[in-house]
Amino acid sequence: MDQNEALRRMAQGEPALAGSPAHQVMHDLAQEALRLTMELNSRYHTPEEVRELFSQMIGKTVDDSFNMFPPFHTDCGKNITVGKNVFINACCCFQDQGGIAIGDGTLIGHNVVLATINHGFPPDHRGDNFPAAIAIGRNVWVGSHATVLPGVTIGDGAIVAAGTVVTKDVPPMTVVGGVPARIIKKLTSEEPT
């Protein structure tokens, strides 16, 4: 199985069973991601160099408006898509085998974890991987130390409070917080800062 086929299958939610060809491709992708993240995180890079390394990591060119403060970690990289004017703060971890899409104008805070993989529940199937995509809309703010779990969609304009664990979809223009996340309030376009 080639890399593109494995990525397509994972993005569609097909499991990668332990020892399968898809599972081996995951390991190969992880090695490339480790190499590129080590390069990104090992010394200072200009914003242009960060964009170039991140583009290599995800396998597609990011817009000149993209900005990120390393360090950054991923164990795949190739299933990440980012829009324009996206900012990713330091120490984020993206487990993107299932796919992560981040919309225009989104802000990702320090130490955010985006996890798109679950493992099998029975002990003899813990090596099996079950991917589910994360979709983050436009103009979303994900606060520091938040964790977004597999299969979650965060609607346009939403705010995820710091330290929140998001287990279910977040409606547009809402603030969620807590463990697990719950709606704290609804936002309006005239919301004061």
Side-chain angles (χ1 to χ4, degrees), residues 44-95:
Y44 172 77
H45 294 281
T46 66
E48 295 79 18
E49 291 169 333
V50 169
R51 281 191 289 278
E52 175 58 32
L53 284 165
F54 191 77
S55 294
Q56 288 178 40
M57 198 178 306
I58 69 172
K60 43 196 144 331
T61 302
V62 294
D63 190 77
D64 287 344
S65 63
F66 173 79
N67 203 347
M68 179 172 65
F69 290 171
F72 173 82
H73 300 280
T74 182
D75 53 4
C76 179
K78 298 298 189 228
N79 264 348
I80 298 172
T81 303
V82 296
K84 295 178 181 179
N85 296 308
V86 169
F87 175 68
I88 299 173
N89 218 325
C91 302
C92 290
C93 296
F94 289 11
Q95 181 193 48

Side-chain angles (χ1 to χ4, degrees), residues 38-189:
M38 181 61 75
E39 170 64 24
L40 176 68
N41 299 333
S42 65
R43 63 182 178 83
Y44 172 77
H45 294 281
T46 66
E48 295 79 18
E49 291 169 333
V50 169
R51 281 191 289 278
E52 175 58 32
L53 284 165
F54 191 77
S55 294
Q56 288 178 40
M57 198 178 306
I58 69 172
K60 43 196 144 331
T61 302
V62 294
D63 190 77
D64 287 344
S65 63
F66 173 79
N67 203 347
M68 179 172 65
F69 290 171
F72 173 82
H73 300 280
T74 182
D75 53 4
C76 179
K78 298 298 189 228
N79 264 348
I80 298 172
T81 303
V82 296
K84 295 178 181 179
N85 296 308
V86 169
F87 175 68
I88 299 173
N89 218 325
C91 302
C92 290
C93 296
F94 289 11
Q95 181 193 48
D96 62 286
Q97 290 89 342
I100 294 172
I102 300 172
D104 294 346
T106 289
L107 306 173
I108 307 290
H110 286 93
N111 292 297
V112 167
V113 174
L114 303 179
T116 67
I117 293 284
N118 271 322
H119 293 280
F121 285 8
D124 56 341
H125 288 278
R126 293 272 162 81
D128 296 345
N129 293 276
F130 298 91
I134 291 172
I136 299 175
R138 298 168 54 103
N139 300 311
V140 171
W141 174 17
V142 181
S144 295
H145 294 274
T147 298
V148 181
L149 296 181
V152 167
T153 295
I154 300 174
D156 292 347
I159 297 173
V160 176
T164 297
V165 176
V166 185
T167 61
K168 295 179 181 166
D169 290 353
V170 176
M173 297 299 291
T174 58
V175 178
V176 297
V179 179
R182 63 177 176 73
I183 295 175
I184 295 172
K185 69 185 272 186
K186 300 220 182 261
L187 298 169
T188 66
S189 59

